[in-house]
Amino acid sequence: MLEDFVLNPSTAIILISSAALLTIYGMTKRSHLPPSPGWSLPVIGHLYMMESNPRKQFLDWGKRLGPLVSLKMGSHLAVVLYGYDTIKEAFVKHADVFSNRPKTFITQILGKDKGFVTSTNQWKKQRKVGSEILRHLGLGSNVMEEKVQEGITELIDQLDKSQCALINPRRLISLSISRIITTLVFGQDFRYKDEQMAECASLIGDQVSLLEGAAVLNFLPFLRHLPGDIFKLQKVLATSEKLEEDLIAKQIQLRQESSDLSEDFICCYLKKIRENGKKQDSAINEENLVMVVSNLFAAGTETTCTTLCWALLYLLHHPDVYAKCYRDIVSHLGTETRPRAKDQHYLKYISATIMEVQRISSIAPFSLYHSASRDIMFKDYLIPKGTIIIPSLDSVLLSEEVWGDPRSFRPERFLDAAGQELIDKEEFIPFSIGNRACLGKALAKMELFLFLTSLVQRYTISVPQGASLPSLKDRFGLSCSPLPFEICFVPRNSSSQPAQESS
Ligand code: HEM
């Protein structure tokens, strides 16, 4: 028996060399970065491989190499996270490591490394104070609902004025949504100053679209020295200065000169500055306030507006869903009663439709970048300190394993068999997860519900007879929006017909 356990020399050699190979393999794997999709070139890294709309390409890389893929983006190392379990493990289980934002050219130059989106640890204080103020101002509550209802009234006024003509709804929706956020930040009085409000809305829009053009400078900052303003950096800087200095800073100054600190975001933040006044190193200061407000504008306007545009487009393509949404509204509210936020409890079909729009349009496919605050071994790979972390929300929201038929628009997937209860699926993460998840989720959900319900209750939407439906293709950007499209809003009680397509 004992002989069975005594190794002969050749078995010993095989065992020892296998053990050595396994150890070496383990060490190399551990000391290795996640796999890359191809060769990294000097200076530009993998940027040469990237398509102008890289969403499909990133999904393919994830399927081939995931759940972690590393990329050299110019001088930065980035790791893409694929799948719900991976993103949750990083952002929830290892939140202490994966919650920072990266230091990039744009966040340093444009964001001045302040506000919510700072690369420093100060984000914690800004988020804590920011969420306290938003809660105090009633984010997601009745007070906030009034502001949203005002935005809807204004949009309906404008749509009625369009008299069923073919219009691109984006500008009108964007104006109404930015009014909500500016009223939240600057107070009720601001909304009466129409010119200022329109200027503010257009500055916010300009800043977001200019930022998209300048995004490449994050990875190849030396390109800013090229002659001419190819990436419109000078324009972005000028727009930001106008927004921050001429508008936000002036509003702060106005409040500082007045002893009456009433109820808007700026006043509440100024009160916090006073409370923190004695602490010299406090991150709660005016410079941060300017950037916090600027972040709220940028994050809180385009995202909601883009989602509403997708909703209209998907409903145009799926008149059966539109009809079911309308039936849901009529059977619970009728045609005259204005929808309120509390109606979300009853209007399950329209709520499921909004979730399906958010899932399929996946407007923030790469969320906002995070970064690793220290070296970490994650899923057997090394992620060095400072690595940019890109969560692929597309890999979750458009996953075949999770949804079965992710490319089909099917609100029913979020309803139980009886169509009575919403199915709350963990993998539904358009606002991301963890302690950097969207700060405005409650407001966004209320806006989406009230805007869409009000529009479906009041209008049918259509394109002129004979015209083809607008494309469902997306335009890649900070938030992925539909290509510009035009539709007619026909009031349900109207005898008017939608405009005919001009020949
Ligand atoms: C449909 C609408 C919206 C979507 C899909 C959306 C989605 C997101 C996502 C994916 C992030 C990044 C989360 C992460 O880094 O893990 C984010 C961050 C953020 N969102 Fe939203 N958002 C929406 C509306 C809003 C609104 C209305 C506001 C303002 C009231 C807002 C304020 C913010 C802020 C301030 C951040 C940065 C938080 C931080 O850095 O800690 N968002 N949002």
Side-chain angles (χ1 to χ4, degrees):
M1 280 298 281
L2 195 63
E3 288 86 328
D4 292 345
F5 293 97
V6 178
L7 298 177
N8 65 42
S10 50
T11 320
I13 290 169
I14 292 171
L15 279 179
I16 291 168
S17 38
S18 310
L21 276 175
L22 277 174
T23 316
I24 292 168
Y25 172 77
M27 277 167 53
T28 9
K29 191 175 177 202
R30 247 173 235 127
S31 62
H32 264 116
L33 299 171
S36 298
W39 293 105
S40 159
L41 297 184
V43 185
I44 57 172
H46 293 102
L47 287 178
Y48 74 97
M49 298 179 78
M50 282 180 208
E51 292 165 5
S52 54
N53 184 344
R55 291 178 72 172
K56 181 173 176 309
Q57 187 179 34
F58 268 63
L59 282 177
D60 290 345
W61 287 341
K63 279 188 191 141
R64 187 156 61 86
L65 307 163
L68 302 184
V69 171
S70 65
L71 292 170
K72 206 72 203 299
M73 297 174 74
S75 53
H76 292 273
L77 172 67
V79 167
V80 190
L81 311 182
Y82 289 93
Y84 179 71
D85 292 340
T86 311
I87 295 175
K88 187 175 172 194
E89 191 176 335
F91 290 179
V92 179
K93 187 170 168 207
H94 295 292
D96 55 324
V97 183
F98 288 112
S99 294
N100 281 8
R101 299 271 181 225
K103 212 178 189 143
T104 59
F105 178 74
I106 299 283
T107 55
Q108 300 301 295
I109 299 291
L110 216 69
K112 303 184 179 97
D113 216 2
K114 303 245 174 286
F116 294 121
V117 193
T118 167
S119 68
T120 69
N121 262 338
Q122 290 190 2
W123 69 266
K124 291 180 189 155
K125 281 195 183 148
Q126 302 309 325
R127 229 185 125 104
K128 182 171 175 287
V129 166
S131 349
E132 274 168 21
I133 297 176
L134 290 175
R135 260 199 312 277
H136 174 74
L137 291 175
L139 198 63
S141 76
N142 289 351
V143 186
M144 203 58 233
E145 180 171 353
E146 291 318 312
K147 298 189 201 319
V148 179
Q149 295 286 7
E150 281 171 18
I152 293 171
T153 305
E154 184 185 287
L155 177 63
I156 285 179
D157 273 359
Q158 294 301 319
L159 291 177
D160 281 355
K161 278 187 198 148
S162 76
Q163 297 192 329
C164 313
L166 201 55
I167 56 162
N168 179 342
R170 183 162 191 117
R171 200 186 60 81
L172 295 180
I173 296 175
S174 170
L175 202 63
S176 294
I177 298 282
S178 51
R179 267 179 191 258
I180 298 168
I181 198 97
T182 40
T183 317
L184 179 78
V185 170
F186 295 148
Q188 284 297 103
D189 290 348
F190 191 79
R191 79 200 148 121
Y192 297 114
K193 299 175 186 132
D194 267 351
E195 252 174 49
Q196 231 175 352
M197 181 71 92
E199 193 198 347
C200 183
S202 91
L203 279 175
I204 297 169
D206 286 356
Q207 199 200 28
V208 172
S209 66
L210 284 167
L211 260 177
E212 285 174 0
V216 66
L217 297 177
N218 275 331
F219 307 115
L220 303 171
F222 57 88
L223 291 180
R224 73 184 185 280
H225 299 304
L226 289 178
D229 192 14
I230 305 177
F231 302 102
K232 306 221 170 82
L233 179 65
Q234 297 314 321
K235 258 192 161 169
V236 188
L237 289 171
T239 312
S240 298
E241 197 178 308
K242 249 184 149 182
L243 191 68
E244 287 151 26
E245 301 304 320
D246 295 357
L247 205 84
I248 305 174
K250 264 199 192 136
Q251 290 290 327
I252 296 176
Q253 201 187 338
L254 273 175
R255 280 155 187 76
Q256 277 172 328
E257 284 163 4
S258 142
S259 54
D260 164 37
L261 285 189
S262 52
E263 294 288 277
D264 61 41
F265 190 93
I266 294 186
C267 288
C268 294
Y269 198 103
L270 286 174
K271 279 184 204 157
K272 298 272 181 193
I273 295 180
R274 287 181 195 170
E275 284 163 26
N276 277 262
K278 288 170 200 94
K279 299 175 205 152
Q280 286 294 305
D281 61 341
S282 171
I284 305 306
N285 55 37
E286 278 163 41
E287 278 176 303
N288 268 306
L289 170 56
V290 172
M291 289 321 296
V292 158
V293 168
S294 177
N295 292 163
L296 281 177
F297 283 161
T301 311
E302 289 301 295
T303 43
T304 318
C305 173
T306 298
T307 309
L308 282 168
C309 287
W310 277 119
L312 290 170
L313 209 49
Y314 273 100
L315 289 177
L316 190 67
H317 277 255
H318 296 272
D320 52 324
V321 175
Y322 202 97
K324 281 188 196 168
C325 287
Y326 184 60
R327 275 206 298 278
D328 199 17
I329 297 168
V330 172
S331 64
H332 289 98
L333 286 182
T335 53
E336 303 301 322
T337 313
R338 193 156 182 168
R340 310 290 310 185
K342 64 176 169 45
D343 298 323
Q344 284 178 80
H345 300 301
Y346 319 108
L347 299 177
K348 300 284 167 118
Y349 191 82
I350 201 153
S351 297
T353 302
I354 293 168
M355 289 165 86
E356 180 67 343
V357 168
Q358 285 203 275
R359 185 197 66 76
I360 201 166
S361 60
S362 177
I363 65 157
F366 304 124
S367 185
L368 280 183
Y369 298 165
H370 289 218
S371 83
S373 59
R374 63 168 168 80
D375 287 0
I376 182 172
M377 289 305 300
F378 183 65
K379 289 197 169 290
D380 275 347
Y381 291 108
L382 172 72
I383 301 195
K385 177 179 176 179
T387 303
I388 295 181
I389 304 298
I390 307 180
S392 167
L393 297 190
D394 266 359
S395 73
V396 184
L397 296 173
L398 301 173
S399 156
E400 273 156 28
E401 288 80 52
V402 177
W403 310 101
D405 55 350
R407 302 283 172 181
S408 309
F409 181 71
R410 214 167 44 76
E412 287 75 10
R413 73 174 83 244
F414 286 107
L415 289 168
D416 67 3
Q420 299 299 316
E421 290 304 324
L422 282 177
I423 296 174
D424 194 9
K425 250 184 131 61
E426 227 189 328
E427 291 90 348
F428 177 67
I429 53 165
F431 298 100
S432 187
I433 42 171
N435 52 16
R436 295 311 290 268
C438 178
L439 199 73
K441 179 175 170 181
L443 174 61
K445 283 177 74 172
M446 185 197 280
E447 286 176 334
L448 293 176
F449 175 77
L450 289 174
F451 269 78
L452 199 66
T453 311
S454 305
L455 291 179
V456 173
Q457 185 186 41
R458 190 171 176 85
Y459 303 100
T460 59
I461 52 172
S462 55
V463 290
Q465 246 179 6
S468 44
L469 291 178
S471 165
L472 284 170
K473 280 203 178 118
D474 68 325
R475 193 187 63 89
F476 185 71
L478 286 180
S479 66
C480 291
S481 49
L483 302 174
F485 65 96
E486 293 186 323
I487 48 175
C488 309
F489 289 83
V490 183
R492 290 189 186 269
N493 57 6
S494 132
S495 55
S496 319
Q497 289 302 305
Q500 294 298 302
E501 193 183 30
S502 53
S503 50

